[in-house]
Amino acid sequence: MIADLIRRPATPAEVAADSVRAVAILSTLAMVLWWGPVDVAVFFLALGGLTLSRYARPHPVFDAVYGCALIFACWSSVLNLYEKISWWDLLVHYLCTGPVAGMAYVLAAHLRLLPAPGPTRRHRVGVVFQVTLLGIALSVLWEFAEWAGDAWVDEDIYVTYADTMGDLGVATLGSLAAGILLAALTRPRGRSRP
């Protein structure tokens, strides 16, 4: 695992993915210096996810998309955009659930818990299907956490039936899109990726 974390980027896409990680580190430092402990914790969670992605070795383009999605969600929280813009929550669910589900698939395949993408169309369809299902499952868990937070922690957490159904719907669409992107990126193009 240490070798994966300290390896040098070999392609421009890997440099871009590592640049996204650098933005996350700088954002975390900004949280430590100028924001509060909750904001610091939010970005530390993102750093954990970005560390796992470097270990899992996804396609570097997908790695960069995943990192941008995490940073986007974190800054949306820090800047209170969920409260300021009524539809922002749906946008974040759409843009972030898919990359997170895709990275969960890549990590599970890396650990040999799920089959790795293969060279055939059938394998790529399997990737889309698995990423979409992981996105749905992760969305359901997230919505349970929101409900529990509203019920037991803070009644200001916005939880209604319509909000939950909307979140689940756009998260499913985002997961389908991420699955299609991941399948397209894992398509063989003359040489295989490790």
Side-chain angles (χ1 to χ4, degrees):
M1 180 175 180
I2 299 298
D4 287 317
L5 296 177
I6 62 173
R7 69 182 155 73
R8 295 175 66 85
T11 66
E14 288 179 355
V15 170
D18 282 345
S19 297
V20 171
R21 274 185 261 290
V23 169
I25 290 168
L26 293 173
S27 296
T28 305
L29 290 174
M31 295 305 113
V32 169
L33 295 174
W34 295 297
W35 273 272
V38 172
D39 301 320
V40 171
V42 165
F43 271 92
F44 267 111
L45 283 173
L47 284 178
L50 289 166
T51 301
L52 280 176
S53 70
R54 196 146 204 305
Y55 165 70
R57 300 186 123 207
H59 189 285
V61 170
F62 191 82
D63 193 12
V65 167
Y66 167 76
C68 288
L70 290 183
I71 293 169
F72 179 76
C74 290
W75 275 106
S76 293
S77 175
V78 168
L79 299 174
N80 294 319
L81 296 178
Y82 299 104
E83 291 82 22
K84 294 176 183 174
I85 304 170
S86 62
W87 47 266
W88 201 260
D89 183 52
L90 291 173
L91 177 67
V92 174
H93 276 280
Y94 177 79
L95 293 176
C96 295
T97 303
V100 170
M103 194 55 68
Y105 167 77
V106 169
L107 182 60
H110 185 76
L111 296 172
R112 296 190 175 116
L113 300 172
L114 288 174
T120 68
R121 176 183 293 222
R122 188 171 124 286
H123 289 110
R124 288 189 299 280
V125 169
V127 169
V128 173
F129 187 66
Q130 290 177 85
V131 170
T132 303
L133 290 179
L134 281 168
I136 292 168
L138 290 170
S139 293
V140 168
L141 291 174
W142 181 264
E143 295 304 319
F144 277 142
E146 278 188 356
W147 168 81
D150 175 64
W152 297 314
V153 179
D154 185 355
E155 291 179 1
D156 289 337
I157 296 173
Y158 183 70
V159 178
T160 65
Y161 181 77
D163 175 66
T164 298
M165 291 298 105
D167 291 351
L168 291 172
V170 297
T172 300
L173 292 175
S175 298
L176 176 63
I180 292 168
L181 174 63
L182 191 58
L185 290 171
T186 57
R187 183 180 203 163
R189 300 199 193 287
R191 66 180 186 112
S192 61
R193 286 189 48 78

